[in-house]
DNA sequence: GCGGTCTTGTTAGCTTAATCACAACGACAA
DNA sequence: TTGTCGTTGTGATTAAGCTAACAAGACCGC
């Protein structure tokens, strides 16, 4: 049995579906159609059905999808049935906001350790998360079995921090700096470049504006 | 003359190129090849040449690209030759970090007005940016000719804020809330969903890890 | 001026993703 | 039980994007 690999584009949408399904459940809705979902998450209904179908026949024809069933299913797929600890490197402006937020409202992810070079904050606890000096990073990551790190350090130190993370066998990095990181094949990088995001938006508005009619579908 | 429309994927890369070109110039490098650029921004060199070629023949064979010339060119394309004012709605955790950062280090964009409902911060100035009450939003946006807004409000107020922005004829929204916004066709939305980003990263690591060999190219 | 060396610009093929459109099938009412 | 209606799952089609490969052209040392 072929164990089909899920397309990248589909994988990126799974958390969006998962999130909205939980909202439905909170509102005591136990069934949903692809059309209805489409409306809420702004993804074409055919795309949703195709996405779901990669995992088998999850719905019932003439009825739709059973919300609790879908949730249970996606919870496993997305590893949301267990807590994932991640690390934060660089507790400045942005890092502080992320620490405070800490993701645990609607997802089973939390920042369990933070690292910085600033002596004023090192060895304190912020929003319930201990901040360690950089020198302890390797040890802590290994002890706590942390495989994912968020980088919010100044751009010019991003690569060296990354190299340290690689040594500690981190598997994934969420990179908020504008620097494109060099990493070994074993590490996956996800860039979040807010300045880019804004510039791209400006470009689109100035150059694409007039001639996209009602065909505006996926927004990203 | 056909005035070819630039592919969306290319448009998203332009700010990345632009940024790195400026770094090169700061280091007094006046020429660069697609291969060298590729190394730095982690985009295949053929893709870079293709991207550039949409704008005409910008390089010289056997030589490469002239950095100052490229910068001048992209500066216009990306509207970086003039200051773009944007608004920020919701000065909480995340909004505060963005205000402080304010993008003006390496881009010609700045937050020039912020809005909130919290009486404790309304009518103060933070990081040089005035914070107005929500009731003044329409007026300020129009007076300051602001066409782009960043939304960092709690999820449950995101849609109503959006509706207000639409009334003020905003053209683009950078949405940090997990809610997928409903907007008229005239508005472009760019979602930045950090929880999603993390969940997707976790999914990829747990499910794609082993079998992607050295072919790991574009990281996003 | 010339040969060798680089690097572009672009063609062609490939891969991934989105969308249409509808037969198949289950739900539900009578 | 039967017929209608609604919604899925999916083959076929179209669109978008990526990359290998290479001819054409420009540089540079001699
Ligand atoms: N703040 C924003 O809104 C924003 C927006 C877009 C991009 N960014 C990017 O995010 C990154 C962080 O931005 P910021 O505004 O939070 O910066 P910041 O200067 O406020 O914070 C950086 C933190 O990293 C720490 N640090 C420095 N070197 C370190 C090292 N080697 N190891 C560990 N920690 C180290 C500093 O002590 C500081 O606490 C930057 O690369 C910036 O370009 C930030
Ligand atoms: N903080 C993070 O790191 C983070 C990470 C991921 C996603 N987000 C998302 O970003 C959004 C903001 O997060 P936050 O942590 O900054 O929240 P926050 O509660 O700290 O800040 C929200 C701010 O919005 C203001 N506000 C409330 N209603 C408003 C309205 N109708 N108009 C204008 N302002 C209003 C509040 O007064 C407050 O200042 C949330 O949707 C959250 O899900 C935040």
């Amino acid at each position: 049995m072929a164990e089909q690999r899920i397309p990248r584009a589909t994988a990126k949408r799974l958390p969006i579906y998962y999130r909205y399904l939980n909202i439905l459940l909170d509102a005591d809705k136990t069934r949903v159609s692809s059309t209805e979902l489409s409306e809420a998450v702004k993804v074409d209904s055919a795309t949703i059905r195709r996405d779901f179908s990669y995992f088998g026949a999850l719905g019932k024809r003439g009825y739709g999808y059973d919300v609790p069933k879908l949730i249970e299913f996606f919870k496993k797929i997305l590893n949301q049935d267990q807590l994932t600890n991640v690390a934060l490197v660089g507790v400045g402006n942005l890092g502080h906001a992320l620490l405070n937020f800490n993701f645990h409202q609607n997802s089973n992810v939390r920042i369990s350790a933070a690292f910085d070079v600033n002596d004023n904050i090192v060895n304190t606890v912020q929003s319930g998360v201990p901040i360690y000096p950089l020198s302890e990073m390797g040890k802590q990551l290994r002890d706590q079995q942390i495989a994912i790190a968020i980088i919010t350090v100044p751009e010019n130190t991003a690569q060296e921090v990354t190299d340290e993370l690689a040594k500690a066998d981190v598997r994934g990095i969420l990179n908020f700096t504008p620097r494109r990181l060099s990493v070994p094949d074993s590490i996956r990088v996800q860039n979040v470049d807010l300045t880019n995001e804004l510039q791209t938006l400006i470009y689109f508005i100035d150059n694409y504006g007039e001639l996209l009619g009602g065909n505006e579908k996926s927004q990203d």
Side-chain angles (χ1 to χ4, degrees), chain A:
Chain A
M1 205 193 73
E3 246 333 302
Q4 178 79 34
R5 176 150 253 76
I6 274 53
R8 175 181 286 242
T10 295
K12 289 197 188 171
R13 285 187 291 263
L14 296 183
I16 303 176
Y17 300 144
Y18 181 66
R19 179 186 166 70
Y20 188 70
L21 288 170
N22 277 296
I23 290 176
L24 285 180
L25 194 65
D26 285 349
D28 287 323
K29 288 210 55 171
T30 60
R31 69 183 266 193
V32 68
S33 71
S34 59
T35 318
E36 193 185 344
L37 249 179
S38 170
E39 181 65 25
V41 300
K42 319 288 180 200
V43 173
D44 186 90
S45 70
T47 301
I48 292 178
R49 292 198 298 280
R50 163 93 57 207
D51 283 347
F52 287 4
S53 77
Y54 287 118
F55 301 99
L58 299 177
K60 284 188 232 175
R61 291 167 195 237
Y63 177 90
Y65 299 90
D66 183 70
V67 175
K69 184 180 158 190
L70 274 190
I71 289 180
E72 279 318 299
F73 194 82
F74 284 134
K75 185 179 285 183
K76 287 211 185 63
I77 297 274
L78 290 172
N79 271 68
Q80 289 295 302
D81 52 347
Q82 56 191 17
L83 188 62
T84 303
N85 288 325
V86 307
L88 176 80
V89 192
V91 189
N93 239 326
L94 186 53
H96 192 262
L98 294 175
L99 254 196
N100 238 318
F101 181 67
N102 210 350
F103 304 97
H104 45 227
Q105 357 251 28
N106 32 38
S107 96
N108 221 340
V109 181
R110 64 156 197 182
I111 299 170
S112 65
F115 303 92
D116 206 298
V117 290
N118 183 346
D119 286 337
N120 293 328
I121 55 172
V122 154
N123 290 321
T124 65
V125 174
Q126 289 205 17
S127 309
V129 180
I131 303 179
Y132 302 100
L134 210 54
S135 54
E136 284 185 33
M137 192 161 73
K139 176 179 176 354
Q140 286 295 337
L141 292 182
R142 268 184 288 264
D143 284 0
Q144 298 192 38
Q145 305 247 11
I146 294 176
I148 293 181
I150 303 173
I151 299 188
T152 46
V153 297
E155 185 197 355
N156 58 318
T157 65
Q159 185 60 55
E160 62 189 71
V161 162
T162 300
D163 295 343
E164 285 306 310
L165 290 171
K167 278 190 211 153
D169 291 327
V170 158
R171 308 275 321 279
I173 292 176
L174 191 60
N175 173 34
F176 281 85
T177 80
R179 177 72 54 91
R180 309 295 273 202
L181 304 171
S182 295
V183 289
D185 285 349
S186 58
I187 297 185
R188 181 173 285 266
V189 177
Q190 188 93 230
N191 295 306
V192 178
D193 191 328
L194 303 181
T195 304
N196 265 13
E197 223 73 78
L198 257 187
Q199 289 188 355
T200 304
L201 187 56
I202 292 170
Y203 176 83
F204 277 137
I205 286 172
D206 291 341
N207 296 279
Y208 281 57
E210 303 71 19
L211 30 150
L212 42 82
N215 61 344
E216 197 49 29
K217 295 288 177 62
S218 76
Q219 44 177 238
D220 277 297

